[in-house]
Amino acid sequence: MSIKINQEKCVGCLSCILVCPGSLIKEKDGKAYIKYPKDCWGCASCVKECKVCAIDYYLGADIGGNGSKLNVSYEGDILHWNITKGDGSVLVIDVNSKDSNQY
Amino acid sequence: MGIKLRHEIISTDVLIIGGGTAGCYAALTLCKNSKLKVVIAEKANIKRSGCLAAGVNAINAYIVEGRTPEDYVDYAIKDANGIVRKDLLLSVAKRFNEVTAQMEKLGLVILKDTDGNYVTRGNRNIKINGENFKPILAKAVRKGKNIEVFNNVNITDFMVNDNTIYGAIGFSIREEIAYEFRAKAVIVSTGGAAGLYKPNNPGTSRHKMWYPPFNTGAGYAMGIKAGAEMTSFEMRFIALRCKDTIAPTGTIAQGVQAKQINSLGEVYENNYGITTSERVYGTVKENQLGKGPCYLQTSAMDKVKEKDLLKAYLNMAPSQTLKWIESGKLPSEQDVEITGTEPYIVGGHTASGYWVNTNRETTIHGLYAGGDVTGGCPQKYVSGALAEGEIAALDIISKISEFAEIKENVAKESRKIVKEYEDILKSANALFTAEELEEAMQKVMDEYAGGISTNYQFNEKQLMLAEEKIDNLIQLSKNLSASDMHELMFVYELRERLLVCKSVIAHLYHRKETRWHSFNENLDYPQQRDEYFCYVNSKFENDKLKIIYRDIVKEAVYEHKN
């Protein structure tokens, strides 16, 4: 499992359901929830699709997870990858979608 | 209980099964060059489906300035130790640059220098921002006239009669509908197979793998069931990846020129060779010798580069960026531990898949294959998948008048398959679940067919045991039940994987040599043998896999003969 959908933040647009390559997210009472959590690949498609930052991405403790959560917000062409660490501090990495990778 | 499915019949000229890279590009090619009606049947949704869901950050098959398509072919032949199809490789290599230019026109960002030339990474790669590669492609498909996309439709069987294809059958995973797609020609482009072997990570992280866990080998299984000839399933692909996240390593190895080192700090690649399989083998060996863990040496890189590396991974495998941050040490402060993955079957990297002619028609008339399901053409990657979609589409356009219309007896067969769906949905309370049988299958493959726990090695006695156990699981899989359409998909995914496993085992058994370390490391035959300089092919006949050894194709154009 790699994501958690915050039921309070979810506005029920359900666009995450559409993009999940495993169709793992379903709808319940007008909100999205992950029905098959163990099947999540961790591609972050839903995280990037969610316009209200209701989906947090994290790593399992068995693969190096230490409590940080990641989500994505947008400003024009810029993707802000927001990482909230276990201690509450926030690190933001900006990626311009019009720029190529340097590697 | 009992669900009666609505049986919908859709007629089209061309059916594309799997709307990934190859499938979408085939649809665009058909749309651009003909007025043919096209249907894409896609298990998820084409916006992010397939192996590019997270993105890709380089075009790894490209002809850079000063190189030729023939150079590319030579490289791929060497890397696969000769067991490739030169005709297939050359046909994609000649198209790499054109399909890439088309993607740029659609909106793909490619890194350029100040003179406007693409910046290359090594001899065959260019750098892109491929985070949105799939959405770009999907957007173009949605705009295409004459293309109709059926998202969330899982295809399980071809409609084949007299070795000619007439369409395919499947079901919606959201609604209680069975679909019968009738078509003059079909392109199968469903991708390769992950999850055959016990994966690198356990439990809740079991799907943190490199290749998409949703690629279950459906296309291979449908072909095997329908009697198509398949090739080189014994050339498994085992990737060298970042430990835990199983994220790609090429970005570090080529982008930062990081060397593979063992825990003593020794560069070990020169002791084993630098082909794709030798890089995995060397890492396994160093661990066996007590010199592990092994790493990619990133600790010498500078801070500016490091920031770009974090971004590059966000565009392709965000878990790796997060892992660096979680550990409190960025790549300049610690080397990146590497590991071999579970073995995958994937025709974009190795040569496993459908045996096709130069135009990508399979041995079933009217059925074409593109991308990871197509065999004989390894190292084609993303641009090769685009190219194969194009090659197949163009051949279909030129031959469309030759393809047959459906016959009534074929349609009758489809009703039997729909009944099979309904029976699975009807039968409640099966003892085992698909998930339980999947774990059993992965354990068998891991222990007896050369998985991670045996350092990818096996012998014939183990393979015979693997076959027996997989056959048993195939029998058990006939009694599975499903309470909804999504679970029905799980049942078919398991069955697909089991059939692919059966083929992989047979292929491993019949290549009585070690042609590639790790990929096919047969302890009974630890050396390469000249008499096995050939393809190992197979065909399902009367419920048995028949092995066919074929001579290496030397012709520039290959047509099916017998």
Side-chain angles (χ1 to χ4, degrees):
Chain A
M1 165 142 182
S2 305
I3 62 154
K4 275 207 188 337
I5 305 178
N6 186 325
Q7 295 295 303
E8 273 155 36
K9 280 192 190 169
C10 176
V11 292
C13 77
L14 308 179
S15 51
C16 55
I17 292 180
L18 195 132
V19 292
C20 174
S23 311
L24 308 174
I25 306 174
K26 307 281 175 190
E27 187 215 320
K28 197 156 87 186
D29 304 327
K31 306 235 174 180
Y33 81 106
I34 180 152
K35 188 174 178 189
Y36 303 100
K38 276 163 81 180
D39 289 351
C40 178
W41 185 23
C43 68
S45 294
C46 57
V47 176
K48 287 180 278 192
E49 195 72 15
C50 184
K51 296 293 180 282
V52 294
C53 294
I55 308 182
D56 283 323
Y57 183 93
Y58 70 101
L59 297 180
D62 55 341
I63 58 169
N66 200 21
S68 292
K69 293 185 279 192
L70 175 150
N71 61 38
V72 176
S73 52
Y74 291 84
E75 214 171 323
D77 291 330
I78 310 286
L79 275 79
H80 302 300
W81 292 82
N82 311 305
I83 300 161
T84 308
K85 295 190 192 173
D87 62 6
S89 63
V90 178
L91 173 75
V92 182
I93 303 176
D94 288 343
V95 178
N96 187 334
S97 58
K98 291 277 188 284
D99 287 346
S100 165
N101 301 303
Q102 299 298 308
Y103 290 103
Chain B
M1 84 175 224
I3 296 170
K4 183 94 185 118
L5 300 178
R6 197 163 89 221
H7 185 146
E8 283 200 7
I9 297 171
I10 314 284
S11 292
T12 183
D13 293 313
V14 184
L15 170 67
I16 297 170
I17 306 173
T21 316
C24 283
Y25 206 77
L28 290 177
T29 306
L30 286 160
C31 193
K32 192 174 155 192
N33 298 286
S34 77
K35 291 200 163 57
L36 294 174
K37 263 177 72 182
V38 180
V39 162
I40 298 178
E42 160 60 46
K43 181 159 84 165
N45 182 298
I46 62 165
K47 186 168 182 185
R48 287 274 180 188
S49 61
C51 54
L52 299 187
V56 54
N57 73 9
I59 296 288
N60 289 315
Y62 192 83
I63 310 302
V64 304
E65 188 78 31
R67 301 267 168 168
T68 65
E70 287 76 10
D71 293 335
Y72 199 90
V73 175
D74 289 343
Y75 155 73
I77 291 174
K78 213 172 152 194
D79 203 71
N81 210 349
I83 312 300
V84 296
R85 286 270 302 276
K86 220 171 160 175
D87 61 316
L88 300 179
L89 281 166
L90 192 59
S91 66
V92 285
K94 283 180 173 169
R95 290 170 189 267
F96 286 156
N97 294 19
E98 179 54 29
V99 293
T100 304
Q102 285 301 322
M103 282 305 299
E104 191 177 24
K105 270 188 203 157
L106 293 177
L108 182 70
V109 173
I110 304 178
L111 187 63
K112 289 181 176 155
D113 61 20
T114 45
D115 297 328
N117 299 316
Y118 293 157
V119 175
T120 58
R121 183 179 99 178
N123 294 328
R124 294 172 291 274
N125 315 35
I126 55 171
K127 303 170 187 187
I128 63 171
N129 180 336
E131 181 281 314
N132 55 0
F133 195 109
K134 197 63 208 305
I136 288 171
L137 202 49
K139 194 174 164 193
V141 168
R142 280 196 299 270
K143 277 192 201 157
K145 273 187 204 161
N146 302 329
I147 305 175
E148 198 178 353
V149 181
F150 286 75
N151 287 312
N152 298 119
V153 170
N154 183 52
I155 301 292
T156 64
D157 291 84
F158 294 141
M159 291 196 283
V160 170
N161 186 256
D162 215 4
N163 205 40
T164 301
I165 195 152
Y166 296 96
I169 326 263
F171 54 85
S172 163
I173 64 161
R174 295 208 189 278
E175 297 170 284
E176 290 166 3
I177 303 172
Y179 284 100
E180 175 180 335
F181 294 104
R182 298 179 174 185
K184 293 175 186 145
V186 176
I187 299 173
V188 57
S189 46
T190 53
L196 305 175
Y197 286 79
K198 196 165 153 186
N200 289 79
N201 297 310
T204 53
S205 298
R206 65 183 184 181
H207 274 183
K208 294 299 297 174
M209 48 178 64
W210 162 70
Y211 199 63
F214 319 115
N215 285 17
T216 54
Y220 298 139
M222 284 185 259
I224 294 167
K225 276 196 275 185
E229 187 169 332
M230 311 300 273
T231 189
S232 306
F233 276 143
E234 77 283 7
M235 197 196 287
R236 305 174 303 167
F237 182 57
I238 298 159
L240 194 64
R241 290 293 177 260
C242 301
K243 178 89 168 44
D244 297 330
T245 59
I246 319 298
T249 50
T251 304
I252 305 172
Q254 289 160 352
V256 196
Q257 299 294 312
K259 294 276 179 207
Q260 283 175 238
I261 55 166
N262 60 26
S263 63
L264 307 172
E266 299 162 345
V267 176
Y268 59 84
E269 62 188 35
N270 297 336
N271 303 341
Y272 302 98
I274 55 163
T275 65
T276 311
S277 69
E278 286 163 347
R279 283 186 181 281
V280 176
Y281 176 68
T283 307
V284 170
K285 280 308 245 192
E286 290 295 293
N287 275 295
Q288 283 181 304
L289 292 168
K291 296 181 184 178
C294 294
Y295 301 90
L296 277 172
Q297 193 171 24
T298 55
S299 52
M301 71 187 298
D302 67 55
K303 282 274 171 195
V304 181
K305 276 191 163 183
E306 177 173 84
K307 219 173 165 190
D308 288 331
L309 193 60
L310 294 183
K311 290 183 184 183
Y313 271 92
L314 285 173
N315 280 349
M316 159 182 76
S319 53
Q320 184 57 31
T321 304
L322 190 55
K323 181 153 191 250
W324 274 315
I325 289 161
E326 286 286 54
S327 74
K329 283 184 182 171
L330 298 181
S332 68
E333 297 160 320
Q334 66 175 344
D335 296 325
V336 176
E337 191 179 341
I338 49 177
T339 189
T341 65
E342 61 172 280
Y344 307 102
I345 299 297
V346 49
H349 285 250
T350 54
S352 313
Y354 279 88
W355 183 247
V356 292
N357 69 12
T358 309
N359 291 324
R360 271 53 173 189
E361 189 174 7
T362 70
T363 55
I364 293 175
H365 189 56
L367 174 65
Y368 289 73
D372 283 344
V373 288
T374 312
C377 189
Q379 316 264 353
K380 66 188 162 213
Y381 311 125
V382 174
S383 46
L386 296 169
E388 286 195 328
E390 182 175 69
I391 293 166
L394 292 175
D395 199 53
I396 287 171
I397 293 169
S398 72
K399 291 186 184 146
I400 194 73
S401 59
E402 297 169 24
F403 297 126
E405 297 283 349
I406 194 159
K407 299 173 192 161
E408 197 43 41
N409 62 336
V410 182
K412 245 185 222 161
E413 284 296 308
S414 78
R415 289 195 279 277
K416 272 191 207 162
I417 291 162
V418 176
K419 187 165 178 304
E420 188 181 288
Y421 302 156
E422 289 174 339
D423 286 346
I424 296 168
L425 288 161
K426 242 183 250 166
S427 67
N429 302 322
L431 184 59
F432 297 115
T433 64
E435 185 179 358
E436 286 166 353
L437 295 188
E438 181 181 305
E439 278 184 20
M441 169 192 74
Q442 291 175 343
K443 181 170 184 274
V444 170
M445 296 302 286
D446 183 59
E447 292 172 357
Y448 297 113
I452 295 169
S453 73
T454 60
N455 295 308
Y456 310 118
Q457 298 166 322
F458 53 84
N459 65 24
E460 290 195 342
K461 288 219 166 61
Q462 289 170 318
L463 289 178
M464 283 159 75
L465 264 174
E467 190 192 15
E468 190 187 315
K469 288 169 188 289
I470 292 296
D471 279 341
N472 191 48
L473 290 170
I474 288 174
Q475 286 307 316
L476 289 177
S477 75
K478 290 179 181 167
N479 299 323
L480 288 170
S481 60
S483 63
D484 61 24
M485 301 306 280
H486 198 108
E487 282 187 16
L488 185 62
M489 176 174 74
F490 287 152
V491 170
Y492 278 91
E493 287 181 336
L494 172 76
R495 290 180 180 181
E496 287 151 9
R497 283 188 166 117
L498 283 165
L499 193 53
V500 176
C501 285
K502 191 175 164 66
S503 283
V504 171
I505 294 164
H507 277 252
L508 289 171
Y509 187 89
H510 284 92
R511 182 173 284 288
K512 294 177 185 292
E513 63 162 353
T514 294
R515 171 78 38 179
W516 316 279
H517 278 305
S518 300
F519 289 9
N520 121 288
E521 187 138 13
N522 189 330
L523 294 173
D524 289 329
Y525 306 95
Q527 305 297 328
Q528 183 174 307
R529 300 167 72 193
D530 289 346
E531 61 266 47
Y532 283 90
F533 182 62
C534 63
Y535 309 103
V536 177
N537 288 5
S538 65
K539 208 172 172 178
F540 209 51
E541 275 181 5
N542 307 320
D543 269 351
K544 284 217 160 61
L545 271 175
K546 183 176 121 188
I547 296 292
I548 305 159
Y549 292 103
R550 286 201 184 270
D551 293 338
I552 296 295
V553 171
K554 297 201 172 74
E555 304 92 327
V557 175
Y558 176 82
E559 283 297 342
H560 297 305
K561 287 167 216 113
N562 45 35

